[in-house]
Amino acid sequence: SAGGFFKDSVMQKFTASFLGRDCPGVVASVSRILEESGCNIEEVTQTILSGEFAAIFVVAAPETDAENLRVKLSAGLEASKVDLSVLVRPAIKGQWVQNLHCEPFVVTADGPDKPGLIAAMSRVFARHDVNIESLKAILGEGGTNRALFVFEVMVPDSVDLGRLRRELTCEGQSRDLRVSVQHRDIFEAVNRVNS
C-alpha cells in the first residue's frame, strides 16, 4: 500500500527556518503543519526578537527535495493564515566541531552602543577559528545609549586563550567597552551566586 511505502521509505533530513510576526499559537501552528507534511521534528530552536518570531527546525521528511517541502509548508501556513516566511535546506551532516575539541566560553562586552561592535568582535573570533553559537544584544542595559552583548562561543583547544582575551579586550577598549571572557561553567556558577 502507499501508506506502507511512505512508512518504510527512507526519510531525508532538512532544516526548515520560519520567520515572521509573532502571535499566540504560532509554534502550535508550525508544528502541526510539519506533522501534517509527514515531518518528524528532531531539533528545534526558537526566539522572539522585536515582535518577530524566528525558529529553526531540523526535521526528517518523506520529501526528497527541499523546494517541494518548502512549497508544501508555505501552502499549509497560508491555509492556516499564519504570516511566516519559510526557507528549507538539506540538513548539514555533522557539526564543524566534530574534528576539534572545544571548550564553551561566554564573552560579554558592555558600554556605549556604537555601530560596528559585533562586526569587530566577530572578526577576532573568526581569526581564531572560534565559533559563535549564540549572540544576544541587550540595548539600554545600564542606561540610555548603552548596551550589553553576550557571545556564547566554542573555543578550540588549539587556541591561545591569553592572546584571544587580549585581542578581544583591545577591540573593546577601542570602543570604550568592558570585555569579560569566562569559561561557561564559571560564568553560570557566578551568575547563580549573584541571582
Side-chain angles (χ1 to χ4, degrees):
S1 75
F5 170 77
F6 284 111
K7 187 176 175 187
D8 297 333
S9 66
V10 175
M11 301 281 271
Q12 303 292 320
K13 279 196 183 183
F14 295 96
T15 302
S17 303
F18 298 84
L19 179 65
R21 185 167 293 130
D22 184 40
C23 63
V26 68
V27 173
S29 296
V30 169
S31 55
R32 177 184 51 76
I33 290 161
L34 285 166
E35 180 188 12
E36 288 171 357
S37 300
C39 297
N40 182 46
I41 299 168
E42 296 188 353
E43 290 183 68
V44 63
T45 184
Q46 173 257 302
T47 192
I48 307 299
L49 187 63
S50 293
E52 291 289 309
F53 169 85
I56 303 172
F57 290 78
V58 175
V59 299
E63 293 287 342
T64 56
D65 180 75
E67 179 58 14
N68 289 345
L69 180 57
R70 187 198 66 74
V71 168
K72 188 185 279 188
L73 295 174
S74 293
L77 290 166
E78 192 175 324
S80 299
K81 297 186 176 19
V82 178
D83 182 22
L84 296 176
S85 299
V86 186
L87 172 66
V88 178
R89 300 170 50 133
I92 297 168
K93 291 178 173 57
Q95 294 179 312
W96 74 277
V97 294
Q98 68 186 26
N99 296 325
L100 299 170
H101 185 269
C102 297
E103 289 290 328
F105 281 80
V106 176
V107 178
T108 60
D110 65 286
D113 182 23
K114 296 179 182 175
L117 167 82
I118 293 173
M121 300 288 275
S122 299
R123 282 192 296 272
V124 175
F125 292 132
R127 277 199 303 271
H128 291 273
D129 290 327
V130 171
N131 193 46
I132 301 170
E133 294 203 326
S134 172
L135 167 58
K136 188 167 233 175
I138 306 165
L139 301 181
E141 183 75 13
T144 308
N145 296 325
R146 296 190 66 78
L148 170 65
F149 298 88
V150 181
F151 298 83
E152 291 186 37
V153 299
M154 292 299 285
V155 180
D157 285 350
S158 58
V159 169
D160 179 337
L161 198 53
R163 183 174 173 192
L164 176 63
R165 282 180 202 269
R166 286 190 299 277
E167 287 186 29
L168 290 168
T169 299
C170 185
E171 281 294 345
Q173 286 175 341
S174 71
R175 290 170 170 75
D176 301 318
L177 294 166
R178 186 175 55 211
V179 175
S180 165
V181 180
Q182 292 180 304
H183 193 281
R184 188 173 63 201
D185 294 346
I186 295 169
F187 179 82
E188 289 174 353
V190 167
N191 283 298
R192 270 195 304 270
V193 168
N194 291 336
S195 298

